[in-house]
Amino acid sequence: MKPLHDYKKPYKRLAALVMLSAVFVPILFVRAQTAQDIQAKIEQRNADIAALEKEISQYQGQLNTLGQQKSSLNNSLAELDLNRKKLNADISVTGKKIENTNATISTLGTQIVSKEDAIENDKEAIKLGFRSLDELETTNAAATILSRANFSDVWNDIDNIITVRDNVRDKIVELQHIKGDLEVTRTDTTNARDELVKLKAQLADQKKIVDQNTAEKNKLLAQTKDNEANYQKLLQDRVAKKTTFEKEISDYESQLKYILDPSKLPGGGVLSWPLDNIYVTQLFGKTEAGKRLYATGSHNGVDFRASVGTPVKAMADGVVAGTGDTDVQCPGVSFGRFVLIKYDNGLASTFGHFSLIKVAKGDRVVRGQVVGYSGATGYVTGPHLHVSIYARDAVDLQTLPSKSCPGHVLTQPISPTNAYLDPMIYLPPYKAP
């Protein structure tokens, strides 16, 4: 039979643990203060991002207006300058997003440490509670009762047992909740780190595109010698080459034999938009613009408004069947930088006029993955994204001698004429603004 004071030992230890946990309060307070500072900085950067995005929108409005004006050297140089300003604003936005993501990761890391500390405290409290229960319950109850002069002491001990049991149960529940919260926080941290990697890659890409923009301006000034007459001659030569090239490709594709099997094509709406913001500038097939812009009078894809440096995304899961740059072989007549993707659903697509390509032949891509950035390479009257859709097994990269650029061969996606499909059938419903 244990003396009375032995029964009080577990409660003294429990009280000591409560006092020990109080030591952590100032630390947690300091962390809370730090978290508040971090959150204030995040909110300030979000305000800066909003201001920059407003500035970017203004640049885009000016670019849209320029795109509707007659091509001239001054307009082309102004467009390049506006694109440069917009790209630099894009870089600033990405930089601030990186800072915010780093701050979020730091905050989440602090939360993880706090939750791990709380878990360890709960574990110790639970261990101590179990030891207390063991000491109380292994004592011979009858001997305890007979040893007491006052039965109120017995009831006090019974109350203490119940209290310890309740505390242990509460701590176990609390521990389970904290562990669940910890797993969520760790998942959030992993997601934030993945986002950080993407943002850093995007920042590096944007800087490359700015450098290209500068090189394009310098090249244009060198070609024209800063003279409008020279620019107009350059423009006429490009249009003539483009018309010749378009006819030779059309003639070649019209001779290819292909039996289109509709049963192998998917239903409508199976593709997602390639851009975050959708504005269609040119539809598929014979249109008014098609009569003016294409030798055949028909447009073999859909054009989307997209300023230089806009991320372009895969429209479904598939494999990159090829990439290239027609400007290397015959400048200003075709797709420029392009990506050909064959999707798992029976379709294929070509993205044209990229400023930067982010995938390579053979790469597996998933819906929504960035495969490149829009631009103004190849034949364009302004920056945009061109999308052609085909039956998957009807299109491939082919290399052909070029009549429009004698002595050169051109490599690009080639498909029988009847295998070109209207992209709008397979994209989500679109309502023109």
Side-chain angles (χ1 to χ4, degrees), residues 271-331:
L271 300 177
S272 58
W273 293 116
L275 304 168
D276 288 335
N277 299 305
I278 299 302
Y279 187 101
V280 175
T281 57
Q282 172 73 352
L283 289 167
F284 175 83
K286 293 186 180 295
T287 63
E288 287 301 315
K291 293 176 184 177
R292 297 194 308 272
L293 298 173
Y294 308 101
T296 61
S298 182
H299 186 215
N300 63 10
V302 170
D303 289 344
F304 298 90
R305 178 183 291 168
S307 58
V308 175
T310 302
V312 179
K313 302 175 181 181
M315 298 183 290
D317 298 352
V319 175
V320 177
T323 66
D325 184 358
T326 60
D327 281 349
V328 173
Q329 301 142 340
C330 192

Side-chain angles (χ1 to χ4, degrees), residues 12-214:
K12 289 181 180 178
R13 283 199 291 270
L14 206 55
L17 185 61
V18 172
M19 292 177 64
L20 181 63
S21 65
V23 174
F24 291 96
V25 172
I27 298 174
L28 295 175
F29 179 73
V30 171
R31 287 176 179 166
Q33 288 287 87
T34 304
Q36 289 175 0
D37 292 342
I38 291 173
Q39 186 59 38
K41 290 178 180 177
I42 288 175
E43 290 173 0
Q44 178 57 54
R45 281 191 287 265
N46 283 336
D48 293 342
I49 288 171
L52 283 165
E53 287 177 339
K54 184 177 180 181
E55 183 180 332
I56 289 168
S57 179
Q58 291 172 345
Y59 290 141
Q60 186 60 59
Q62 294 175 56
L63 285 167
N64 295 342
T65 300
L66 268 179
Q68 296 169 2
Q69 297 176 7
K70 181 181 176 182
S71 293
S72 68
L73 180 59
N74 284 339
N75 283 351
S76 293
L77 292 173
E79 183 177 76
L80 286 167
D81 285 337
L82 279 171
N83 275 317
R84 177 181 52 78
K85 290 176 181 178
K86 179 184 172 297
L87 284 165
N88 282 326
D90 287 337
I91 286 172
S92 295
V93 167
T94 304
K96 290 189 179 297
K97 286 181 178 179
I98 286 173
E99 291 174 8
N100 273 357
T101 305
N102 276 324
T104 299
I105 289 171
S106 175
T107 301
L108 289 169
T110 301
Q111 291 176 11
I112 286 173
V113 171
S114 297
K115 287 180 174 67
E116 287 175 340
D117 288 345
I119 286 172
E120 288 305 312
N121 286 342
D122 279 357
K123 283 181 178 178
E124 288 303 314
I126 290 168
K127 287 178 184 177
L128 183 54
F130 278 129
R131 283 199 298 270
S132 300
L133 282 172
D134 184 61
E135 290 180 20
L136 288 166
E137 293 180 341
T138 54
T139 304
N140 186 292
T144 300
I145 293 171
L146 292 174
S147 70
R148 301 300 179 86
N150 189 341
F151 277 100
S152 64
D153 290 340
V154 175
W155 294 117
N156 286 339
D157 285 343
I158 293 172
D159 286 343
N160 287 337
I161 291 173
I162 294 171
T163 300
V164 172
R165 279 178 176 168
D166 289 344
N167 287 341
V168 169
R169 183 172 58 248
D170 292 345
K171 279 295 178 185
I172 289 172
V173 172
E174 183 180 339
L175 178 61
Q176 290 171 336
H177 288 159
I178 294 174
K179 280 187 173 180
D181 290 344
L182 179 61
E183 290 306 314
V184 171
T185 305
R186 282 177 171 160
T187 300
D188 290 344
T189 304
T190 300
N191 293 339
R193 290 188 189 281
D194 290 344
E195 181 64 19
L196 183 63
V197 170
K198 291 179 185 177
L199 286 170
K200 285 184 175 179
Q202 182 175 318
L203 182 64
D205 293 340
Q206 289 168 334
K207 288 179 177 178
K208 288 179 184 177
I209 297 169
V210 168
D211 291 340
Q212 289 177 8
N213 176 272
T214 302

Side-chain angles (χ1 to χ4, degrees), residues 262-388:
S263 67
K264 292 184 178 180
L265 298 177
V270 296
L271 300 177
S272 58
W273 293 116
L275 304 168
D276 288 335
N277 299 305
I278 299 302
Y279 187 101
V280 175
T281 57
Q282 172 73 352
L283 289 167
F284 175 83
K286 293 186 180 295
T287 63
E288 287 301 315
K291 293 176 184 177
R292 297 194 308 272
L293 298 173
Y294 308 101
T296 61
S298 182
H299 186 215
N300 63 10
V302 170
D303 289 344
F304 298 90
R305 178 183 291 168
S307 58
V308 175
T310 302
V312 179
K313 302 175 181 181
M315 298 183 290
D317 298 352
V319 175
V320 177
T323 66
D325 184 358
T326 60
D327 281 349
V328 173
Q329 301 142 340
C330 192
V333 300
S334 187
F335 289 125
R337 295 190 181 99
F338 67 84
V339 172
L340 172 64
I341 302 174
K342 294 194 173 186
Y343 299 113
D344 300 341
N345 58 22
L347 301 176
S349 74
T350 294
F351 293 132
H353 311 307
F354 275 5
S355 57
L356 189 67
I357 294 171
K358 291 297 294 178
V359 290
K361 183 177 180 179
D363 284 354
R364 180 81 188 167
V365 296
V366 297
R367 183 188 300 267
Q369 177 181 336
V370 174
V371 296
Y373 296 85
S374 63
T377 56
Y379 182 81
V380 295
T381 56
H384 70 277
L385 172 67
H386 173 89
V387 177
S388 287

